[in-house]
Structures are given as structure tokens and as C-alpha cells.
Amino acid sequence: MVVARGLPEGPTEWAWLAGIIGAYLAISYLLAYRARRRRGASAAARGALHDLGDRRPVQPPGQYLASRMIMLGGALVTGVAGFLTSGAVRVVVVVVVGLLAIALWAYFDHRTEVRSSQRAE
């Protein structure tokens, strides 16, 4: 019998979840830092860190849905890649495919976020 679960139970599952969240935050930070450096900001690292924590404005419904579909599609592709492989190859494939999916998701959110100059208006 298969029982549905909601939260991770073991430390390995929590580590995977923390890794996914950490990768998303790291990639989001790097994208924000790169954007600030290209605009010539003097304190790009501090500004990018502030942008990372300043997520109050919600995306428009269409962009929010697209962001969640990218997230779910990436999770599905990563899960299928893990299902189709085994052994040490599985870990490598899941990590590579997962990081690519997270990078795509973070890049989409970065490109569609409401800029601070538009928030002030």
C-alpha cells in the first residue's frame, strides 16, 4: 500500500529540500548582482542582497502561473531523469538537471520581477 506524504521525513530528504531552496536563492542573488554591476551600482553586492529579500510585489497572475509551471515542469523533468537512471549516475543526473531547472526558474523570475524603479511609481 502506498501512503501519500506531505513533509520530508528523513535528514536526506530535508537536505535535498534545503539544497533546492539554497540553489534558487544563490542563482537569484547572482542574477541580481550581475544586473546591478551592469548598471554600475557602487554597492552591487549589498543591493543584490536587499533585492533578494525584497519580494513584496507579487507578479501579475499570468507571470506567476508561468513561474510555477516552470518550477513544476523542472521538478517533473528532474524526477523523470532520476527515475530513468540508477546508481551514481542518478545522483549526477538529478543534480545537473535540477540545477538547470532551478536556474531557468530563477532567470524567469529575475526577468519578470517588478523593478525597484517601477515600485516607487
Side-chain angles (χ1 to χ4, degrees):
M1 180 167 95
V2 177
V3 179
R5 331 180 287 189
L7 293 174
E9 294 176 0
T12 305
E13 294 170 348
W14 280 107
W16 278 102
L17 183 62
I20 289 167
I21 293 169
Y24 177 79
L25 291 173
I27 292 168
S28 294
Y29 173 79
L30 291 173
L31 288 168
Y33 175 77
R34 179 177 164 260
R36 284 188 168 268
R37 290 289 293 177
R38 291 180 86 192
R39 288 185 295 221
S42 60
R46 184 174 299 192
L49 190 60
H50 175 72
D51 286 350
L52 189 61
D54 191 19
R55 300 279 185 194
R56 279 179 265 138
V58 178
Q59 295 170 320
Q63 289 177 349
Y64 182 80
L65 178 65
S67 174
R68 295 307 171 250
M69 289 298 109
I70 290 171
M71 177 185 65
L72 292 173
L76 179 66
V77 169
T78 304
V80 168
F83 179 74
L84 295 176
T85 57
S86 64
V89 175
R90 173 181 286 168
V91 173
V92 173
V93 168
V94 167
V95 167
V96 169
V97 172
L99 285 176
L100 288 173
I102 291 169
L104 176 66
W105 178 33
Y107 183 73
F108 177 81
D109 282 352
H110 172 73
R111 296 296 294 173
T112 59
E113 76 181 8
V114 177
R115 304 284 182 233
S116 59
S117 61
Q118 294 172 343
R119 283 185 215 144
E121 295 174 356

